[in-house]
Amino acid sequence: MQADPAAWLDALHWDERGLVPAIAQDATTGRVLMMAWMNREALLETARTGRAVYWSRSRNRLWRKGEESGNVQHVHELRTDCDRDVILLAIEQVGGVACHTGRESCFFRRLDGAPGLEVVTSGRADTPVPHWENVDPVRVDPTALYGDRAHHHE
């Protein structure tokens, strides 16, 4: 009896839309760069080509990371979590920019001023009020990557 080549896809727990969250992590540094969604077709193409492919919910189509910006993601390893409902991609980020804002990571906002967190304030003299602070620099002007569409996701 021949094994089903898609059995590994069937082992995952897809949501009601047929999607799983996918976290892209730098394979060298371990930094989380972005989160997106994958359907079966995107995950299958990613595993087949070694290049990250996601599902764009806003466009309702496959999104081959870097198709507009050139900042593709070469996938070194795919993992799933203990519940098999999240995918982790260990990637090499071409161009050093994963975020459509021109930053290395989409996780560039940090909550400052929350008393229960290690980072309580960002140099404010007054009593801090919890707020989101942009803490990572823009590495590439988004208009250089996307032109007039810079405010949209890739």
Side-chain angles (χ1 to χ4, degrees):
M1 184 172 175
Q2 191 170 355
D4 179 2
W8 65 276
L9 288 167
D10 296 334
L12 297 173
H13 297 284
W14 305 90
D15 73 8
E16 64 281 353
R17 299 164 297 174
L19 302 174
V20 291
I23 299 166
Q25 180 181 42
D26 186 290
T28 303
T29 67
R31 182 166 189 198
V32 173
L33 301 178
M34 59 176 275
M35 180 273 172
W37 296 92
M38 289 180 138
N39 64 6
R40 290 174 69 95
E41 186 181 0
L43 187 52
L44 190 59
E45 184 174 327
T46 297
R48 184 176 51 78
T49 65
R51 207 174 128 179
V53 179
Y54 302 103
W55 178 254
S56 172
R57 295 177 302 161
S58 60
R59 295 183 198 161
N60 203 34
R61 69 169 179 85
L62 290 178
W63 163 38
R64 291 166 181 87
K65 179 68 176 151
E67 64 190 9
E68 293 181 27
S69 67
N71 294 331
V72 299
Q73 294 175 341
H74 296 293
V75 180
H76 293 246
E77 183 178 58
L78 290 170
R79 292 183 180 220
T80 189
D81 70 324
C82 55
D83 295 323
R84 292 184 299 203
D85 61 0
V86 177
I87 298 296
L88 178 67
L89 298 86
I91 61 110
E92 172 195 348
Q93 180 64 61
V94 173
V97 174
C99 185
H100 73 282
T101 66
R103 292 176 172 87
E104 175 186 14
S105 171
C106 294
F107 296 93
F108 60 87
R109 292 185 180 105
R110 179 182 66 209
L111 183 63
D112 282 2
L117 300 180
E118 184 176 319
V119 177
V120 175
T121 183
S122 56
R124 294 167 48 150
D126 58 338
T127 303
V129 174
H131 64 281
W132 293 106
E133 186 78 22
N134 292 351
V135 295
D136 292 346
V138 173
R139 291 186 171 192
V140 178
D141 180 354
T143 56
L145 298 173
Y146 306 107
D148 294 338
R149 298 176 318 281
H151 64 282
H152 292 108
H153 268 88
E154 187 176 340

